[in-house]
Every structure is written in structure tokens, then in C-alpha cells.
Short mmCIF file of all heavy atoms in Angstrom, two decimals:
data_model
loop_
_atom_site.label_atom_id
_atom_site.label_comp_id
_atom_site.label_asym_id
_atom_site.label_seq_id
_atom_site.Cartn_x
_atom_site.Cartn_y
_atom_site.Cartn_z
N ARG A 170 -31.84 7.98 -17.50
CA ARG A 170 -32.56 7.00 -16.74
C ARG A 170 -32.34 5.49 -17.14
O ARG A 170 -32.17 4.63 -16.32
CB ARG A 170 -34.13 7.35 -16.68
CG ARG A 170 -34.77 6.24 -15.97
CD ARG A 170 -36.22 6.79 -15.38
NE ARG A 170 -36.68 5.80 -14.77
CZ ARG A 170 -37.77 5.90 -13.73
NH1 ARG A 170 -38.24 7.12 -13.52
NH2 ARG A 170 -38.32 4.94 -13.17
N GLN A 171 -32.42 5.28 -18.45
CA GLN A 171 -32.04 4.02 -19.08
C GLN A 171 -30.75 3.50 -18.60
O GLN A 171 -30.54 2.30 -18.30
CB GLN A 171 -32.30 4.12 -20.66
CG GLN A 171 -33.62 4.23 -21.09
CD GLN A 171 -33.58 4.55 -22.49
OE1 GLN A 171 -32.67 4.52 -23.26
NE2 GLN A 171 -34.82 4.84 -23.10
N VAL A 172 -29.73 4.30 -18.73
CA VAL A 172 -28.33 4.00 -18.42
C VAL A 172 -28.16 3.67 -16.90
O VAL A 172 -27.65 2.54 -16.55
CB VAL A 172 -27.37 5.29 -18.69
CG1 VAL A 172 -25.98 4.82 -18.16
CG2 VAL A 172 -27.19 5.24 -20.26
N VAL A 173 -28.81 4.42 -16.03
CA VAL A 173 -28.73 4.20 -14.60
C VAL A 173 -29.59 2.85 -14.26
O VAL A 173 -28.99 2.03 -13.50
CB VAL A 173 -29.49 5.47 -13.96
CG1 VAL A 173 -29.72 5.04 -12.42
CG2 VAL A 173 -28.59 6.61 -14.00
N ASP A 174 -30.76 2.66 -14.90
CA ASP A 174 -31.58 1.39 -14.67
C ASP A 174 -30.77 0.25 -15.08
O ASP A 174 -30.60 -0.81 -14.37
CB ASP A 174 -32.78 1.62 -15.26
CG ASP A 174 -33.85 2.43 -14.56
OD1 ASP A 174 -33.58 2.74 -13.44
OD2 ASP A 174 -34.78 2.84 -15.18
N GLN A 175 -30.09 0.33 -16.20
CA GLN A 175 -29.32 -0.80 -16.70
C GLN A 175 -28.17 -1.26 -15.72
O GLN A 175 -27.93 -2.43 -15.46
CB GLN A 175 -28.64 -0.66 -18.10
CG GLN A 175 -28.17 -1.78 -18.72
CD GLN A 175 -27.51 -1.40 -20.09
OE1 GLN A 175 -27.28 -0.31 -20.44
NE2 GLN A 175 -27.39 -2.54 -20.92
N LEU A 176 -27.42 -0.23 -15.33
CA LEU A 176 -26.43 -0.44 -14.40
C LEU A 176 -26.90 -1.07 -13.00
O LEU A 176 -26.33 -1.94 -12.40
CB LEU A 176 -25.55 0.83 -14.11
CG LEU A 176 -24.37 0.72 -13.20
CD1 LEU A 176 -23.40 -0.34 -13.70
CD2 LEU A 176 -23.67 2.18 -13.01
N ARG A 177 -28.07 -0.44 -12.64
CA ARG A 177 -28.56 -0.95 -11.36
C ARG A 177 -29.10 -2.43 -11.48
O ARG A 177 -28.98 -3.23 -10.45
CB ARG A 177 -29.81 -0.17 -11.01
CG ARG A 177 -30.53 -0.38 -9.66
CD ARG A 177 -31.72 0.55 -9.43
NE ARG A 177 -32.24 0.38 -8.08
CZ ARG A 177 -33.08 -0.56 -7.77
NH1 ARG A 177 -33.57 -1.46 -8.70
NH2 ARG A 177 -33.57 -0.68 -6.38
N GLN A 178 -29.57 -2.73 -12.64
CA GLN A 178 -30.11 -4.17 -12.70
C GLN A 178 -29.12 -5.12 -13.09
O GLN A 178 -29.06 -6.33 -12.58
CB GLN A 178 -31.23 -4.09 -13.81
CG GLN A 178 -32.45 -3.33 -13.44
CD GLN A 178 -33.36 -2.92 -14.69
OE1 GLN A 178 -33.14 -3.37 -15.60
NE2 GLN A 178 -34.31 -2.07 -14.42
N GLU A 179 -28.15 -4.83 -14.10
CA GLU A 179 -27.16 -5.71 -14.44
C GLU A 179 -25.86 -5.58 -13.79
O GLU A 179 -25.07 -6.57 -13.88
CB GLU A 179 -27.00 -5.56 -16.02
CG GLU A 179 -28.39 -5.81 -16.78
CD GLU A 179 -28.26 -5.59 -18.37
OE1 GLU A 179 -27.11 -5.24 -18.63
OE2 GLU A 179 -29.36 -5.56 -18.92
N GLY A 180 -25.52 -4.50 -13.31
CA GLY A 180 -24.18 -4.24 -12.67
C GLY A 180 -23.11 -3.98 -13.74
O GLY A 180 -23.37 -4.07 -14.98
N PRO A 181 -21.91 -3.73 -13.33
CA PRO A 181 -20.91 -3.37 -14.30
C PRO A 181 -20.22 -4.71 -14.89
O PRO A 181 -20.54 -5.80 -14.27
CB PRO A 181 -19.73 -2.70 -13.38
CG PRO A 181 -19.90 -3.36 -12.10
CD PRO A 181 -21.50 -3.51 -11.86
N THR A 182 -19.65 -4.73 -15.85
CA THR A 182 -18.83 -5.74 -16.51
C THR A 182 -17.45 -5.85 -15.71
O THR A 182 -17.17 -4.83 -14.99
CB THR A 182 -18.45 -5.54 -17.94
OG1 THR A 182 -17.57 -4.41 -18.10
CG2 THR A 182 -19.85 -5.38 -18.82
N GLN A 183 -16.88 -6.93 -15.77
CA GLN A 183 -15.54 -7.04 -15.03
C GLN A 183 -14.63 -6.16 -15.63
O GLN A 183 -13.72 -5.61 -14.90
CB GLN A 183 -15.13 -8.55 -14.99
CG GLN A 183 -13.87 -8.78 -14.10
CD GLN A 183 -14.27 -8.55 -12.64
OE1 GLN A 183 -15.31 -8.96 -12.16
NE2 GLN A 183 -13.33 -7.79 -11.94
N GLU A 184 -14.60 -5.90 -16.90
CA GLU A 184 -13.70 -4.93 -17.61
C GLU A 184 -13.88 -3.54 -17.06
O GLU A 184 -12.92 -2.81 -16.74
CB GLU A 184 -13.82 -5.04 -19.02
CG GLU A 184 -12.92 -4.01 -19.77
CD GLU A 184 -13.29 -3.99 -21.36
OE1 GLU A 184 -14.20 -4.75 -21.71
OE2 GLU A 184 -12.64 -3.11 -22.05
N GLU A 185 -15.08 -3.09 -16.89
CA GLU A 185 -15.48 -1.83 -16.25
C GLU A 185 -15.01 -1.69 -14.85
O GLU A 185 -14.42 -0.61 -14.57
CB GLU A 185 -17.00 -1.55 -16.36
CG GLU A 185 -17.52 -1.26 -17.74
CD GLU A 185 -19.01 -1.01 -17.70
OE1 GLU A 185 -19.80 -1.79 -17.07
OE2 GLU A 185 -19.51 -0.20 -18.31
N LEU A 186 -15.10 -2.65 -14.10
CA LEU A 186 -14.70 -2.65 -12.73
C LEU A 186 -13.23 -2.55 -12.58
O LEU A 186 -12.70 -1.74 -11.87
CB LEU A 186 -15.23 -3.93 -12.05
CG LEU A 186 -14.95 -3.89 -10.48
CD1 LEU A 186 -15.58 -2.80 -9.76
CD2 LEU A 186 -15.53 -5.34 -9.89
N THR A 187 -12.56 -3.32 -13.40
CA THR A 187 -11.09 -3.20 -13.35
C THR A 187 -10.58 -1.91 -13.78
O THR A 187 -9.56 -1.29 -13.27
CB THR A 187 -10.47 -4.31 -14.29
OG1 THR A 187 -10.94 -5.70 -13.91
CG2 THR A 187 -8.96 -4.28 -14.30
N ARG A 188 -11.25 -1.38 -15.03
CA ARG A 188 -10.85 0.05 -15.43
C ARG A 188 -11.04 1.11 -14.39
O ARG A 188 -10.19 1.91 -14.09
CB ARG A 188 -11.61 0.31 -16.67
CG ARG A 188 -10.93 1.55 -17.39
CD ARG A 188 -11.57 1.68 -18.86
NE ARG A 188 -13.09 1.72 -18.74
CZ ARG A 188 -13.71 0.76 -19.46
NH1 ARG A 188 -13.18 -0.31 -20.13
NH2 ARG A 188 -15.10 0.80 -19.52
N ALA A 189 -12.19 1.07 -13.69
CA ALA A 189 -12.56 2.02 -12.63
C ALA A 189 -11.50 1.83 -11.43
O ALA A 189 -11.07 2.77 -10.89
CB ALA A 189 -13.91 1.86 -12.21
N ARG A 190 -11.25 0.61 -11.09
CA ARG A 190 -10.39 0.34 -9.96
C ARG A 190 -8.94 0.94 -10.27
O ARG A 190 -8.27 1.68 -9.35
CB ARG A 190 -10.19 -1.15 -9.75
CG ARG A 190 -9.65 -1.41 -8.35
CD ARG A 190 -9.29 -2.89 -8.22
NE ARG A 190 -10.28 -3.85 -8.76
CZ ARG A 190 -11.39 -4.36 -8.10
NH1 ARG A 190 -11.62 -3.77 -6.87
NH2 ARG A 190 -12.19 -5.14 -8.75
N GLU A 191 -8.44 0.80 -11.49
CA GLU A 191 -7.10 1.21 -11.79
C GLU A 191 -7.11 2.70 -11.99
O GLU A 191 -6.19 3.33 -11.47
CB GLU A 191 -6.66 0.56 -13.03
CG GLU A 191 -6.33 -1.02 -13.02
CD GLU A 191 -5.36 -1.15 -11.77
OE1 GLU A 191 -4.33 -0.64 -11.73
OE2 GLU A 191 -5.75 -2.15 -10.95
N GLN A 192 -8.18 3.32 -12.44
CA GLN A 192 -8.32 4.67 -12.59
C GLN A 192 -8.27 5.42 -11.16
O GLN A 192 -7.58 6.39 -10.88
CB GLN A 192 -9.56 5.17 -13.31
CG GLN A 192 -9.73 6.63 -13.60
CD GLN A 192 -11.10 6.92 -14.30
OE1 GLN A 192 -12.10 6.28 -13.95
NE2 GLN A 192 -11.05 7.82 -15.13
N SER A 193 -9.06 4.85 -10.21
CA SER A 193 -9.18 5.29 -8.90
C SER A 193 -7.80 5.22 -8.10
O SER A 193 -7.47 6.09 -7.48
CB SER A 193 -10.28 4.56 -8.12
OG SER A 193 -11.49 4.89 -8.74
N LYS A 194 -7.21 4.08 -8.28
CA LYS A 194 -5.88 3.91 -7.68
C LYS A 194 -4.74 4.82 -8.24
O LYS A 194 -3.95 5.39 -7.43
CB LYS A 194 -5.33 2.31 -7.83
CG LYS A 194 -6.22 1.40 -7.01
CD LYS A 194 -6.12 0.04 -7.51
CE LYS A 194 -4.77 -0.50 -7.55
NZ LYS A 194 -4.90 -1.99 -7.90
N ALA A 195 -4.87 4.96 -9.57
CA ALA A 195 -3.86 6.05 -10.11
C ALA A 195 -4.14 7.38 -9.56
O ALA A 195 -3.19 8.19 -9.29
CB ALA A 195 -3.99 5.92 -11.65
N ASN A 196 -5.41 7.74 -9.41
CA ASN A 196 -5.78 9.15 -9.03
C ASN A 196 -5.17 9.37 -7.51
O ASN A 196 -4.68 10.41 -7.13
CB ASN A 196 -7.24 9.42 -8.98
CG ASN A 196 -7.75 9.53 -10.36
OD1 ASN A 196 -7.08 9.90 -11.27
ND2 ASN A 196 -9.09 9.34 -10.50
N VAL A 197 -5.32 8.24 -6.73
CA VAL A 197 -4.86 8.31 -5.35
C VAL A 197 -3.29 8.54 -5.26
O VAL A 197 -2.69 9.48 -4.72
CB VAL A 197 -5.10 7.05 -4.52
CG1 VAL A 197 -4.40 7.08 -3.16
CG2 VAL A 197 -6.70 7.09 -4.33
N MET A 198 -2.53 7.58 -6.07
CA MET A 198 -1.14 7.73 -6.03
C MET A 198 -0.53 8.93 -6.61
O MET A 198 0.38 9.58 -6.19
CB MET A 198 -0.53 6.49 -6.74
CG MET A 198 -0.93 5.12 -6.05
SD MET A 198 -0.51 5.11 -4.33
CE MET A 198 1.22 5.00 -4.27
N MET A 199 -1.08 9.31 -7.73
CA MET A 199 -0.52 10.57 -8.40
C MET A 199 -1.05 11.89 -7.66
O MET A 199 -0.34 12.81 -7.83
CB MET A 199 -1.02 10.54 -9.94
CG MET A 199 -0.34 9.48 -10.79
SD MET A 199 -0.74 9.69 -12.45
CE MET A 199 -2.41 9.23 -12.60
N GLY A 200 -2.19 11.72 -7.03
CA GLY A 200 -2.68 12.96 -6.31
C GLY A 200 -1.81 13.21 -4.99
O GLY A 200 -2.10 14.19 -4.28
N LEU A 201 -0.97 12.23 -4.62
CA LEU A 201 -0.33 12.31 -3.30
C LEU A 201 1.19 12.63 -3.58
O LEU A 201 2.01 12.30 -2.74
CB LEU A 201 -0.50 11.25 -2.35
CG LEU A 201 -1.92 11.03 -1.81
CD1 LEU A 201 -2.06 9.73 -0.97
CD2 LEU A 201 -2.27 12.25 -0.91
N GLU A 202 1.55 13.20 -4.72
CA GLU A 202 2.96 13.41 -5.04
C GLU A 202 3.45 14.70 -4.74
O GLU A 202 4.77 14.96 -4.97
CB GLU A 202 3.20 12.92 -6.52
CG GLU A 202 3.04 11.49 -6.88
CD GLU A 202 3.43 11.04 -8.28
OE1 GLU A 202 3.56 11.95 -8.99
OE2 GLU A 202 3.64 9.87 -8.47
#
């Protein structure tokens, strides 16, 4: 609950967002091979 509330209130860092974006993009590209 603490982790969820912190993310809800403060949002992600730019580093986290970039990492999540690259991870998701890689999953798409590698998953369609």
C-alpha cells in the first residue's frame, strides 16, 4: 500500500519511465520475431 500510494502521489521518475518504455518496446519487437 505504501509503494502504491507513493507512486500515485509522486508519479514515476523520468529514469523509471524511460526504463519502462524501453522494456515495453523491446518486448514488442522481440515478441514479433
